[in-house]
Amino acid sequence: MAEAATPFADLARLRGGAPEAEAAPAEPKIDKQGRSYATGRRKESVARVWVKPGSGRFVVNGREMPAYFARPTLQMIINQPFQTLNRLGQYDVTCTVTGGGLSGQAGAVRHGLSRAIVAYEPSLRPAIKAGGYLTRDDREVERKKYGRAKARRSFQFSKR
């Protein structure tokens, strides 16, 4: 019974593990070409993103990003991690994205881009995490139910 009354600081010592404050800094995950890779997802879209230092070239499915995502709102969504970090134009990004529509694809690219930046520079994780860019938006389209016009909408009712 005497051991149960020990403070929480002693529990780490009893377990044999080191205190969490002394954790080693994360190592960057960089391949032989000097790139880091991550996968991003949103709705039905999946984006595979490669990031390396460069002049700011952004290629999506073989096309420049402004040509692929023509709407300014989609471009703004994709550039949010760079604007948060003040690193616009410092990385070359290559990505392939499949599935879903354009807004889902833009969200998938942003998610993958954020994860790839953290893989390249782990010290940037707190700033990106504070912006909420590492969290996968898990909202999906609700399925259509039988006896309904859509997922929840009923058919129009008429008494006569």
Side-chain angles (χ1 to χ4, degrees):
M1 276 319 246
E3 284 187 41
T6 60
F8 287 114
D10 294 338
L11 291 177
R13 183 179 48 79
L14 290 173
R15 189 176 63 216
E20 293 181 23
E22 299 175 15
E27 291 291 321
K29 295 181 179 86
I30 301 171
D31 64 5
K32 293 174 185 169
Q33 287 88 21
R35 309 173 300 180
S36 67
Y37 167 79
T39 304
R41 293 181 183 88
R42 170 94 164 77
K43 294 187 178 180
E44 289 291 317
S45 302
V46 178
R48 301 183 308 158
V49 182
W50 290 268
V51 172
K52 66 178 181 178
S55 60
R57 188 158 187 256
F58 205 119
V59 179
V60 180
N61 289 350
R63 293 162 48 188
E64 292 294 321
M65 192 256 294
Y68 192 86
F69 294 108
R71 282 187 265 166
T73 54
L74 299 178
Q75 295 175 22
M76 179 203 66
I77 287 170
I78 292 171
N79 285 323
Q80 281 176 338
F82 286 140
Q83 290 173 342
T84 301
L85 299 171
N86 293 325
R87 306 242 170 158
L88 207 56
Q90 294 183 14
Y91 291 100
D92 286 344
V93 179
T94 305
C95 64
T96 59
V97 62
T98 58
L102 284 177
S103 72
Q105 288 184 352
V109 170
R110 181 181 78 173
H111 184 230
L113 180 63
S114 303
R115 291 174 68 180
I117 290 171
V118 169
Y120 195 84
E121 284 188 71
S123 62
L124 299 176
R125 181 178 171 85
I128 291 182
K129 184 143 178 73
Y133 305 130
L134 293 178
T135 305
R136 191 240 197 258
D137 189 356
D138 62 348
R139 294 177 294 171
E140 299 281 339
V141 176
E142 189 175 349
R143 76 172 189 88
K144 184 195 176 300
K145 279 77 170 185
Y146 57 88
R148 299 271 176 168
K150 293 166 67 174
R152 297 188 180 193
R153 188 189 186 288
S154 299
F155 294 109
Q156 183 173 347
F157 176 76
S158 174
K159 199 164 191 178
R160 294 186 193 102

